[in-house]
Every structure is written in structure tokens, then in C-alpha cells.
Amino acid sequence: MSYRPLLRIAAVLLISLFGSLGAQAAVGEGQSPQPSKRLAIVIGNSDYRSAHLPHLANAANDAARLSESLKRLKFDVLTATNLSSDGFTKLFEQAEGKLAGASAVLIFYAGHGVQLGGENYLLPVDTPSAENLQELIAGAVKLNDVISRFASRERQTFVFLDACRNNPMGKGPSAMDGLAQIEVGENTFIAFATQPGNVAVDGSGDNSPFTTALLKNVEIPGLSISDMMIRVRNETEAITIGRQVPWDQSNLREQFYFTEQQVLDPAQLSASLSRILADPAAKERLKVELASNDLQTAVLIVGQTLRSVEVSPLPDAAAKPAGTQVASLEGARQSIVSGLEALIVGTSATETDSQKATDLARSIQTELRRLGCYRMTVDGSWGKGSVRALANYYKNTARTASATEPTVELLSDLFLHSGRVCKDPVVVRKIKPAKVASEAAPARKGAGNRKAARSQQQSSRPVAPPPDISGGIGIGGVF
């Protein structure tokens, strides 16, 4: 019996199988990663009915403004103002229905909050004019219950509390001003508008000092939550002249970036840069910001002072025909290239071509780092690490590599891209067991033997542990 026909059939089947797998792999590589689901619950209570609980003009404004920012950052946002006790119950039930598949949950509360007997409570607007502690907390929402309801080891949970108001029951053994220390749930971050036992002010502007600082920093690209809270803390302290210092508690397992899924309109970014470059004072501010920030962040920060160039969210794909969007993007890119040629590459006659090339490479490295693709020192030296970072960017954006060397066109492409593109997992290296010399090994004589013994002792020392990847996550500490 001949086996050749069977072999030919098997070969055809194998070729078909591997060809199909290869096609599937090619399709998979060309697809952009799906954004993770992030849920936000935003509450602002202003209109209290009890004479013991003053009206808080800014709490509802704080919730509305933060909701707008979180929507731009691609959160699924549930916003509610002036919630009664029943309103809290219905909102949390609605939020629980959206928890499936969520990678992160954010809870923001602005309104009256008190601590009683070491427990923190959020007060609904229908809280009665209480004469004792039992009446006050009868319909209140226990903060620890909220945290345990939404916190999970499998997802990151963030709680922002602009609620450290005066205690309506006055100070006493079980009633204190401000909010008390709480037990942080697993993989949870909690931020307080002020230090423990202190009172946060509602503010005289449109928003409270804490929320004002939060709004100013939450949309800045590339900031981890710990870096953002440093900015929020410093700016809140400056606004309140040192009377209010935000605190936070954390046991997050990895860093979090609000701008990981950020979407910005390229046309608006282009307009911001053009307007800044046309204004001598704004242009000088931009150069100052570039000393400590990436290009996109610097433009957003300086652009905040120019109302006519506020960055708005990218419209839905159905809002404009695809051809219009492509034309708009190309126009934005051409405008940015012409502006960056003078700003980044420089026109100074004192700079050599080598210095200009270094400046350009440094700017591209910085933008790649903002996008999460470059994790080495930003030094302007374009080497293998920079090339790998650029290849990682192309891979994660499913784009064809258009350049491997620094160019102004490449910088403009990076500038127009928002969000956290490269999200490589943190790898913890395993510590190899130390090799210990066998006592049964025969001892050697002479100076050479002593040298070998010293070398053997050094090799038997434990390997240094890997760096602490949680450093910088808990800024305020546990209080």
C-alpha cells in the first residue's frame, strides 16, 4: 500500500491550518487593544434641608465639573446631586449593575460628612435636625460600607472625599470635626480634601479649593495618581494659605493613570499650540513648562490660561464624515510641524546641528515616555532603547513604522496622540537561591586558594532584591 497520497493530504491540511492561524495572528496584531471599562460614581450634595447643615453652594458644581472631566477621560460616569437617603440607595444599586468587567471604580463625594465614634458618615440632604447622635446617623451613609461594597482585590478602587465639614453635633468624646482614619480596602486609594480632624472649606469661587486643584490636574497626560496627588496637595495648600492639606491612604498594587484612555481633538491641540506660539508671553511660559514637562502637557497647562484654545473632547465618529476627520488631522499635523520646527529644533545661530538633533531626540523620548513606551533616561541620545520604544509605539497603535530616526514629523505625530498607549506589565524578577560552597570540597593551600575562597564567599551572598515597585503610591501615608 502506498502512503504518498496520505502524506500529501496531511501536508495540505497542515498548510491550511498554519495558514489560518497566521492570518488570525496578523489580524490580531493589526487591531488596537480594547480600552478597559472604568466606572465613576460622582455625588454632590448642596441643598441640605436641616438648619444645622449649612447650604454648600459648590458641592453640586464640583460634581458637575468633575463628571465632565471623567467623561473626557473615558469613564462611564453616574452623576447625582442633592441625594436623599433613598437616592443614595438607588444610585449604588445602579452602579452595582455596571460593575461587571470594570477594571477601576472611582467614587467622588462633595457634601457634608462627619465622624462619630470613629466612623465616617456621608450625610444625605434629608438628614434631620438631630438632637442626638442616633437621630443624625439614622439615615446617613457609612463610608466603610460604601468602600466594602465597591472595593475588590481584582480591580482598583478610588475614593475622593471633599466632605470634611464641621460636625453639627459639636465636639465631644465621640463627635469630632473632619473625617477619621479608615481601613483601606484591598487595591484601594482614598483621598481626603484635608488632613485628619481638620475642616475643609467650600470655597468662594465656583468650586472648592480641593476640587479646583483636582480639576486642574486630573486631565494632565502621563501623570500617575500619586504624582497627581502631589500637585493637588501643593495647590490646595497654596489656595487655602496652608489651612488645608489633602491626605491620602493607599494599598494599590500598581500605578494608575487617569489619562490612560484619554482622547483629545487633534484640531484643538493644533489650535492651542498655534495660539501659544503667536503670543510672546505664552510662548515664553511654554518654554519654561517644557523644562519639566512633555510637549503635550506643557501645551495643555499653558493653554488653560487661553480661553479661546481650550481642548475639547474628540467628537463621535458619526458626528463627522471619515474624510473630514482625516483632512482635519492632516491639517493639524502640518500646522504643528511648522510650529515645532522653530520651537523644538530651534533657530538660534549659536546652536550646532548636533545640539539641535539632541534637543529633538530628547523631545521625542519625552513624548514616548508620556505615552508609556519609553522607560529609560531621557538624555537626547538616540540609541537602541529609543528605537525599541518607537517600535513599541507603532506596535500598540497598529501603525506602519514611518520613521526610526528623530524627525519633526515624528514628534508632531506623538504630540497628537493622547492616552497611555504602551501598558507593559510590571515584571518582578525571581531571586535565585545563593550558591553555597560545599563543606566537603577539599581545601587548597597557598595565596591562590585564599583568593578563591574570598571569591567563593562573595558569590554566596544573597542576590539583591528587586526594586520596590510600589514606591510613591501612598503619598499621604496612613494616619
Side-chain angles (χ1 to χ4, degrees):
M1 179 179 179
S2 175
Y3 292 95
R4 289 182 179 179
L6 293 176
L7 290 174
R8 282 198 298 269
I9 293 173
V12 170
L13 290 174
L14 286 172
I15 291 172
S16 300
L17 174 62
F18 285 109
S20 175
L21 291 175
Q24 292 177 9
V27 171
E29 289 177 359
Q31 292 176 343
S32 298
Q34 291 296 319
S36 56
K37 179 181 175 181
R38 307 194 295 182
L39 176 65
I41 307 165
V42 183
I43 303 167
N45 278 358
S46 288
D47 298 330
Y48 283 87
R49 304 166 193 172
S50 169
H52 293 169
L53 297 172
H55 174 77
L56 301 174
N58 287 336
N61 295 339
D62 293 343
R65 285 286 308 281
L66 184 63
S67 293
E68 293 171 2
S69 290
L70 293 175
K71 288 176 183 177
R72 286 194 289 270
L73 295 170
K74 313 309 287 183
F75 277 80
D76 181 3
V77 183
L78 295 175
T79 307
T81 56
N82 300 321
L83 286 180
S84 63
S85 181
D86 289 340
F88 270 101
T89 300
K90 293 177 181 178
L91 177 65
F92 290 152
E93 288 176 351
Q94 183 183 1
E96 281 185 318
K98 291 176 171 284
L99 278 180
S103 63
V105 176
L106 181 147
I107 302 168
F108 173 86
Y109 174 77
H112 280 294
V114 297
Q115 62 160 306
L116 300 169
E119 287 277 5
N120 294 311
Y121 294 87
L122 312 181
L123 301 184
V125 293
D126 59 350
T127 299
S129 297
E131 296 182 359
N132 55 61
L133 301 181
Q134 287 70 28
E135 290 181 6
L136 184 71
I137 66 174
V141 178
K142 187 182 295 186
L143 180 58
N144 281 341
D145 289 346
V146 177
I147 295 172
S148 62
R149 189 171 186 171
F150 291 99
S152 170
R153 180 186 179 87
E154 306 306 321
R155 62 173 172 266
Q156 294 176 303
T157 303
F158 306 91
V159 182
F160 289 83
L161 298 167
D162 199 353
C164 309
R165 313 297 180 181
N166 280 321
N167 195 318
M169 302 306 298
K171 295 181 180 180
S174 59
M176 303 291 292
D177 279 342
L179 296 182
Q181 174 187 347
I182 63 178
E183 294 296 328
V184 180
E186 288 192 281
N187 209 6
T188 301
F189 178 98
I190 302 178
F192 300 85
T194 189
Q195 58 268 48
N198 195 34
V199 176
V201 297
D202 193 45
S204 57
D206 292 333
N207 299 102
S208 75
F210 175 70
T211 302
T212 296
L214 184 60
L215 290 169
K216 186 176 179 181
N217 292 282
V218 71
E219 292 186 71
I220 292 180
L223 282 182
S224 67
I225 190 168
S226 55
D227 289 337
M228 185 201 73
M229 277 305 300
I230 289 175
R231 288 172 174 253
V232 170
R233 181 176 297 109
N234 291 337
E235 291 180 19
T236 303
E237 187 175 8
I239 293 172
T240 60
I241 319 176
R243 291 176 297 176
Q244 189 173 324
V245 183
W247 281 65
D248 57 73
Q249 298 175 239
S250 169
N251 67 0
L252 292 179
R253 299 181 180 278
E254 61 180 333
Q255 277 292 11
F256 178 83
Y257 297 84
F258 281 96
T259 56
E260 186 173 76
Q261 298 166 297
Q262 186 182 41
V263 177
L264 300 175
D265 187 349
Q268 288 290 339
L269 278 175
S270 174
S272 289
L273 181 60
S274 298
R275 174 62 187 273
I276 290 170
L277 294 177
D279 185 328
K283 184 177 179 180
E284 289 303 313
R285 278 198 59 201
L286 179 60
K287 290 180 178 179
V288 172
E289 291 292 342
L290 283 175
S292 56
N293 291 294
D294 57 81
L295 176 61
Q296 191 184 91
T297 299
V299 169
L300 290 175
I301 291 174
V302 177
Q304 287 177 346
T305 62
L306 305 174
R307 294 182 180 179
S308 62
V309 293
E310 288 182 355
V311 177
S312 61
L314 188 67
D316 294 335
K320 293 183 180 180
T324 305
Q325 293 180 9
V326 172
S328 175
L329 179 61
E330 185 58 34
R333 183 180 291 110
Q334 292 176 358
S335 173
I336 289 169
V337 168
S338 61
L340 295 183
E341 188 74 46
L343 180 68
I344 303 298
V345 180
T347 56
S348 174
T350 59
E351 274 195 327
T352 65
D353 290 341
S354 176
Q355 289 173 325
K356 293 178 181 179
T358 299
D359 290 342
L360 178 59
R362 184 182 293 109
S363 297
I364 290 176
Q365 288 172 340
T366 305
E367 291 302 299
L368 285 170
R369 185 172 64 177
R370 171 178 63 81
L371 297 171
C373 303
Y374 184 76
R375 301 191 176 190
M376 301 174 66
T377 303
V378 175
D379 54 9
S381 176
W382 193 260
K384 293 181 179 179
S386 300
V387 174
R388 282 196 301 269
L390 185 57
N392 197 16
Y393 165 76
Y394 285 130
K395 176 184 177 182
N396 281 276
T397 54
R399 296 185 178 188
T400 303
S402 58
T404 58
E405 296 296 323
T407 65
V408 178
E409 289 77 12
L410 172 59
L411 179 59
S412 69
D413 286 341
L414 297 172
F415 170 75
L416 288 171
H417 207 109
S418 59
R420 196 83 179 167
V421 172
C422 305
K423 293 172 280 187
D424 294 334
V426 176
V427 178
V428 180
R429 297 173 184 173
K430 294 182 178 179
I431 301 175
K432 295 181 179 180
K435 295 182 179 179
V436 181
S438 173
E439 294 180 359
R444 298 180 182 178
K445 300 179 181 180
N449 294 338
R450 287 194 297 271
K451 182 177 180 181
R454 286 196 299 270
S455 176
Q456 199 173 42
Q457 289 175 357
Q458 290 175 354
S459 65
S460 67
R461 291 174 183 170
V463 179
D468 182 5
I469 62 173
S470 66
I473 293 179
I475 299 301
V478 178
F479 51 84

